[in-house]
C-alpha cells in the first residue's frame, strides 16, 4: 500500500516573514497516514528545517547540482541540502527543463547526486500542449523516464518519487481531468515494470498542475495517483491544508 504524499513547490516565492507564517500554519497538520513536504527556495531551506522540527512536515530543495562539489559558482550540492537537514529534492521540474535547459542527462546526474547523499529525489516529467495535441504525450514521458529506468539500481527506487506534471496544466488553471491524469500515471507505472514489478507497485507517482482544494479529492482518488505536487495553491496555508486533508 502506497502512502499519500502531498508536496508544495513554492517556486521563487518567499520571504523570511512568509516562510514563518506559512510553516507556523502548516505545522498544525497531523495525519500519520500522509506525508507532507514543502520545497522552499534555497536561501530559506535551513529556516524551514528549523521551523518544522517539531512537526511532521518535511523540507526539500527545488533543485540540486549535477556535480558533487567544486568550482560551480551559484550551484547548491545535494550534500549541502542534506547537511542542513533537508531530506528531499525536486529534479527536472519543467521550468528547469525549459528555462534552464536541463536535459535528461542532467536530470539523471542530479538524481544520482541526490541518491548518493541520502535525499529522496522527486523526478518531474510531463508533456507540453503541442506534444499532447499530436498524441505524443506517452512517448515524451517514456523518453524522460528512460535513463532513470535503465541506469538506476532497483534499490535506488526506494528513494524516488515521480511527479507527472503536464506542462499545459502548470499555473494555467487548467487541470488534467482525473481520467487523463490516471491514464498517464498508469502508463508511468507500466514503464517502471522495466525495473521490477515491485518498483512499479511501490513508487509514489504524484500529479501536479493546477491542483486546488476543489479538484484534489477527485484526482487523488484515482488508483495510480498517490498525491500531488502543488505549486500556486501551496503558498496559501488554508488552501494547502485543505488539499492535504483531501
Ligand atoms: P501549479 O500548481 O501552480 O499549477 O504548479 C504546479 C507545479 O509546477 C508544481 O511543481
Amino acid at each position: 500500500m502506497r502512502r499519500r504524499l502531498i508536496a508544495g513547490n513554492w517556486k521563487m516565492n518567499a520571504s523570511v516573514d512568509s516562510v514563518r507564517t506559512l510553516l507556523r500554519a502548516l505545522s498544525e497538520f497531523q495525519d500519520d497516514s500522509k506525508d507532507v513536504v514543502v520545497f522552499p527556495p534555497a536561501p530559506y531551506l535551513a529556516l524551514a528545517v528549523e521551523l518544522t522540527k517539531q512537526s511532521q512536515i518535511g523540507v526539500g530543495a527545488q533543485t540540486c547540482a549535477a556535480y558533487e562539489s567544486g568550482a560551480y559558482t551559484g550551484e547548491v550540492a545535494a550534500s549541502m541540502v542534506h547537511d542542513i537537514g533537508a531530506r528531499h529534492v525536486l529534479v527536472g521540474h519543467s521550468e528547469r527543463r525549459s528555462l534552464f535547459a536541463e536535459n535528461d542527462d542532467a536530470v539523471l546526474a542530479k538524481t544520482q547526486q541526490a541518491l548518493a547523499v541520502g535525499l529522496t529525489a522527486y523526478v518531474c516529467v510531463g508533456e507540453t500542449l503541442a506534444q499532447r495535441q499530436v498524441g505524443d504525450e506517452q512517448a515524451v514521458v517514456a523518453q524522460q523516464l528512460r535513463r532513470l529506468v535503465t541506469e538506476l539500481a532497483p534499490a535506488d527506487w526506494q528513494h524516488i518519487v515521480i511527479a507527472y506534471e503536464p506542462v499545459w496544466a502548470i499555473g494555467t488553471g487548467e487541470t488534467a481531468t482525473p481520467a487523463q491524469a490516471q491514464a498517464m500515471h498508469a502508463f508511468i507505472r507500466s514503464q517502471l515494470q522495466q525495473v521490477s514489478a515491485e518498483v512499479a507497485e511501490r513508487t509514489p507517482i504524484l500529479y501536479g498542475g493546477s491542483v486546488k482544494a476543489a479538484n484534489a479529492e477527485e484526482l487523488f482518488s484515482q488508483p495510480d495517483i498517490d498525491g500531488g505536487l502543488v505549486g500556486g495553491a501551496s503558498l496559501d496555508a488554508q488552501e494547502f491544508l485543505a488539499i492535504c486533508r483531501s
Side-chain angles (χ1 to χ4, degrees):
M1 184 68 184
R2 297 181 297 270
R3 281 170 67 78
R4 276 259 173 270
L5 170 55
I6 316 295
N9 174 10
W10 296 358
K11 308 194 179 184
M12 202 172 75
N13 303 288
S15 65
V16 169
D17 279 352
S18 76
V19 172
R20 285 188 191 284
T21 308
L22 199 44
L23 291 180
R24 198 173 300 131
L26 297 187
S27 294
E28 291 163 17
F29 181 77
Q30 264 192 324
D31 181 343
D32 291 344
S33 70
K34 293 174 183 166
D35 293 318
V36 177
V37 180
V38 295
F39 293 86
Y44 303 100
L45 279 175
L47 175 63
V49 167
E50 187 60 35
L51 292 172
T52 52
K53 260 193 183 135
Q54 308 301 326
S55 76
Q56 74 169 87
I57 311 286
V59 174
Q62 296 175 10
T63 185
C64 66
Y67 314 98
E68 196 177 325
S69 65
Y72 301 102
T73 301
E75 289 289 274
V76 175
S79 60
M80 299 169 186
V81 174
H82 189 274
D83 191 33
I84 58 105
R87 290 292 177 264
H88 311 263
V89 63
L90 298 179
V91 181
H93 189 280
S94 65
E95 288 150 18
R96 303 288 322 167
R97 291 179 190 262
S98 66
L99 302 172
F100 303 97
E102 256 179 47
N103 59 21
D104 292 335
D105 289 343
V107 170
L108 177 66
K110 289 176 177 215
T111 303
Q112 288 170 327
Q113 290 295 330
L115 296 175
V117 300
L119 296 176
T120 294
Y122 293 55
V123 182
C124 306
V125 297
E127 80 287 357
T128 63
L129 183 58
Q131 289 164 335
R132 180 167 279 265
Q133 280 169 340
V134 295
D136 274 351
E137 65 272 17
Q138 291 192 347
V140 168
V141 169
Q143 179 64 33
Q144 290 170 335
L145 291 170
R146 187 154 299 137
R147 302 288 306 281
L148 302 172
V149 164
T150 55
E151 301 201 29
L152 298 181
D156 289 336
W157 287 85
Q158 288 169 28
H159 306 287
I160 299 274
V161 172
I162 300 294
Y164 169 57
E165 299 202 305
V167 176
W168 48 272
I170 295 177
T172 59
E174 190 174 343
T175 318
T177 64
Q180 282 173 321
Q182 164 57 26
M184 183 59 86
H185 282 230
F187 174 73
I188 291 170
R189 225 174 270 297
S190 76
Q191 295 299 294
L192 302 187
Q193 288 279 352
Q194 295 168 41
V195 184
S196 76
E198 191 184 350
V199 165
E201 175 58 31
R202 290 223 180 139
T203 302
I205 308 178
L206 308 184
Y207 169 79
S210 298
V211 174
K212 309 177 208 51
N215 58 27
E217 189 96 42
E218 207 184 350
L219 285 161
F220 299 172
S221 63
Q222 302 301 309
D224 288 298
I225 300 183
D226 304 311
L229 178 54
V230 184
S234 72
L235 297 168
D236 177 326
Q238 292 318 315
E239 181 78 8
F240 189 61
L241 283 170
I243 294 169
C244 292
R245 292 189 191 108
S246 295

